[in-house]
């Protein structure tokens, strides 16, 4: 329950760095950061925004955000290095645990407390992810699985189900967690390093989980 997560977090919270990769947008980054700072846990986080080669006007907008959010670190790369290398820039700067978070996400009440509680509920857990919702309220992601009807792809569980769909509200082991919101314990980063840039978009997070 949210109360249990919050109580655990007050007594056991770990250091976390949130890495937000971004490209060609300022508005989404602003909304994402605003949602994080609406949470009491926002002040506990180290936040790193990594832009990969956006046009000059976009990077100028991000520089303006840097003034608005003085607590946030902005890394503005001159060239597009791809998703994995952009995430890795932030992961290699991170201290403590890390969260990869897409720039088009807006976090909900108690998000960090729940993720960290679940991550430390067992020594065997290395990576956790939340249920993700579309703006409509329908489920986007509830864990990754191998789609045997499309064997070259890994699909999202419960996609397009209502947000309160029962099975999606039960914590479970999953094959993969999407990099859209991925909580990674420090022990995992120390053991296996960062994302493999040899994989194309949408497979580097799968490879990392496997």
């Amino acid at each position: 329950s949210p109360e249990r997560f919050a109580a655990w977090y007050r007594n056991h919270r770990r250091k976390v760095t949130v890495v937000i990769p971004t490209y060609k947008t300022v508005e989404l980054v602003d909304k994402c950061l605003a949602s994080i700072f609406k949470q009491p846990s926002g002040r506990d986080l180290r936040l790193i925004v990594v832009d990969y080669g956006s046009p000059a006007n976009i990077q100028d907008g991000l520089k303006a955000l840097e003034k608005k959010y003085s607590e946030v670190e902005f890394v503005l790369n001159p060239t597009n290095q791809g998703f994995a290398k952009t995430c890795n820039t932030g992961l290699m700067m991170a201290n403590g645990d890390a969260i990869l978070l897409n720039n088009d996400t807006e976090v909900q009440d108690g998000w960090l407390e729940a993720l960290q509680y679940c991550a430390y509920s067992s020594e065997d857990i290395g990576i956790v992810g939340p249920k993700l919702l579309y703006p409509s309220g329908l489920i986007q992601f509830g864990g990754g699985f191998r789609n045997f009807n499309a064997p070259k792809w890994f699909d999202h569980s419960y996609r397009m189900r209502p947000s309160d769909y029962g099975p999606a509200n039960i914590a479970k082991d999953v094959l993969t967690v999407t990099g859209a919101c991925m909580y990674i314990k420090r022990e995992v980063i120390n053991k296996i390093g960062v994302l493999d840039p040899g994989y194309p978009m949408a497979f580097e997070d799968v490879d990392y989980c496997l």
Side-chain angles (χ1 to χ4, degrees), residues 109-169:
D109 290 347
W111 76 293
L112 178 63
E113 294 89 333
L115 286 172
Q116 196 168 94
Y117 174 90
C118 292
Y120 284 92
S121 63
S122 169
E123 292 183 358
D124 294 331
I125 296 173
I127 297 172
V128 298
K131 176 175 64 177
L132 299 178
L133 304 179
Y134 288 113
S136 65
L138 297 178
I139 295 173
Q140 180 193 24
F141 177 82
F145 69 96
R146 186 74 179 275
N147 186 342
F148 291 105
N149 293 318
K152 293 183 179 181
W153 194 248
F154 291 80
D155 217 332
H156 292 188
S157 299
Y158 316 125
R159 189 193 293 271
M160 305 309 294
R161 296 276 191 172
S163 62
D164 59 353
Y165 181 62
N169 291 332

Side-chain angles (χ1 to χ4, degrees), residues 3-88:
E3 294 77 15
R4 183 171 75 250
F5 301 154
W8 180 92
Y9 182 81
R10 283 194 297 270
N11 295 313
H12 303 286
R13 68 175 180 262
R14 269 73 168 179
K15 289 183 179 180
V16 186
T17 299
V18 178
V19 177
I20 303 173
T22 187
Y23 183 59
K24 286 188 175 181
T25 180
V26 176
E27 182 181 1
L28 291 178
V29 176
D30 191 7
K31 289 182 177 180
C32 180
L33 292 174
S35 73
I36 292 171
F37 284 117
K38 283 179 183 176
Q39 301 292 316
S41 60
R43 62 180 177 271
D44 300 329
L45 295 166
R46 181 184 178 194
L47 293 152
I48 303 174
V49 174
V50 186
D51 178 83
Y52 47 112
S54 290
N57 65 312
I58 297 295
Q59 292 201 346
D60 287 344
L62 293 174
K63 290 175 183 176
L65 281 189
E66 190 172 13
K67 295 178 181 178
K68 178 179 180 180
Y69 300 102
S70 58
E71 313 94 321
V72 180
E73 299 167 60
F74 285 76
V75 179
L76 307 180
N77 290 318
T79 58
N80 189 335
Q81 302 176 2
F83 180 77
K85 285 187 177 181
T86 302
C87 290
N88 290 345

